[in-house]
Amino acid sequence: DQQVKQNSPSLSVQEGRISILNCDYTNSMFDYFLWYKKYPAEGPTFLISISSIKDKNEDGRFTVFLNKSAKHLSLHIVPSQPGDSAVYFCAARVNYGGSQGNLIFGKGTKLSVKP
Amino acid sequence: NAGVTQTPKFRILKIGQSMTLQCAQDMNHNYMYWYRQDPGMGLKLIYYSVGAGITDKGEVPNGYNVSRSTTEDFPLRLELAAPSQTSVYFCASRASTDTQYFGPGTRLTVL
C-alpha cells in the first residue's frame, strides 16, 4: 500500500505561470515532509521541506503548503521556468519505531515547463 | 568536497553474477542509505546505516547485502543477480538534519 501518493504522473505548464504539484499521504505518524527534484541521469536534490507543525514554508519561488486534516501537501512554483522541468518527488519522514529519519517517497510527478 | 559518489555509473550483469556497488561520502555523515528506483516508481529503501558497524533492512532488502566498516563507505552487494534487480540504484547520506544528499546513481541491467 502506498503511504505517499502523487496521483499526477505528469504536469505541463507555460513559462511564467504557476506550477502546482500535489501529494497525499495516509500515515498520520509522518511528521516531516520534503520535496526533491530530479533531472535525468542525476540523483535527486533537496528542494524544500515542511514540518507537520507548520502549514506553509517558502523559499524563493517555491512554497510548500501542508493541510494535515486532509493529509495533503502541495508544492507551488511561481513563476515557473523552463529549468524547473524535472521529476518532483514528495517524501515523508518516518519517525517511529526503529526507523527514525527514514523517508518514504511518492512515485514522482514529471513537470514540463514550456517556453 | 565531492559529496556522495557512486561507482560504477553503468553495469550490465548476467543472471547469477555478483557485484558490489560502491558508495562513498566525504561529509562525515552518520546516516547512509541505499535506494532503488524502478521505471515510473518512487525510490524504495533497500538498506540503511546509522553509523559505522550498524546496518538495518529497509523495505526491499531481499537479494542484497551491505556493510559499513567506515563512516565514509557503504557498499551494496548483489550476490546472485536476477532480472528483477534491473534498476537505478541511489546512495544517500545525511547528518542529524533530515535532508538526505544523493549520489548520481548506478544504472544496473541484469540479462
Side-chain angles (χ1 to χ4, degrees), chain A residues 46-58:
Chain A
F46 170 73
L47 189 58
I48 192 170
S49 62
I50 188 167
S51 165
S52 61
I53 62 173
K54 295 188 174 182
D55 55 17
K56 178 181 174 181
N57 187 29
E58 266 183 278

Side-chain angles (χ1 to χ4, degrees), chain A:
Chain A
D1 64 329
Q2 265 189 280
Q3 297 189 64
V4 178
K5 301 178 187 177
Q6 294 178 258
N7 292 319
S8 299
S10 62
L11 174 68
S12 182
V13 300
Q14 209 65 34
E15 181 179 6
R17 307 294 290 267
I18 184 171
S19 295
I20 300 177
L21 295 92
N22 293 305
C23 178
D24 297 293
Y25 61 97
T26 58
N27 193 333
S28 56
M29 297 293 288
F30 292 148
D31 66 349
Y32 201 77
F33 303 90
L34 304 90
W35 285 93
Y36 280 82
K37 176 179 179 178
K38 184 182 178 308
Y39 292 117
E42 294 184 11
T45 55
F46 170 73
L47 189 58
I48 192 170
S49 62
I50 188 167
S51 165
S52 61
I53 62 173
K54 295 188 174 182
D55 55 17
K56 178 181 174 181
N57 187 29
E58 266 183 278
D59 184 1
R61 296 186 297 114
F62 303 91
T63 303
V64 57
F65 295 93
L66 175 62
N67 183 334
K68 278 189 68 176
S69 60
K71 294 193 177 69
H72 176 83
L73 62 156
S74 60
L75 173 67
H76 293 211
I77 306 174
V78 184
S80 301
Q81 299 173 354
D84 296 330
S85 297
V87 176
Y88 289 79
F89 290 101
C90 173
R93 183 178 76 173
V94 178
N95 199 26
Y96 54 87
S99 303
Q100 286 87 347
N102 289 356
L103 298 179
I104 294 180
F105 286 82
K107 292 184 178 182
T109 296
K110 184 176 182 179
L111 174 65
S112 300
V113 180
K114 300 189 184 308

Side-chain angles (χ1 to χ4, degrees), chain A residues 1-2 32 34 36 38 41-46 49 87 89 93 98-108, chain B residues 31 33 35 37 40-45 48 50 56-59 90 94 98-105 107:
Chain A
D1 64 329
Q2 265 189 280
Y32 201 77
L34 304 90
Y36 280 82
K38 184 182 178 308
E42 294 184 11
T45 55
F46 170 73
S49 62
V87 176
F89 290 101
R93 183 178 76 173
S99 303
Q100 286 87 347
N102 289 356
L103 298 179
I104 294 180
F105 286 82
K107 292 184 178 182
Chain B
Y31 298 83
Y33 305 85
Y35 294 90
Q37 185 193 10
M41 303 294 287
L43 284 78
K44 293 196 181 293
L45 183 64
Y48 66 100
V50 301
D56 207 347
K57 296 177 180 179
E59 184 183 355
F90 291 102
R94 72 173 177 94
D98 296 288
T99 303
Q100 293 186 18
Y101 296 88
F102 285 81
R107 184 176 294 273

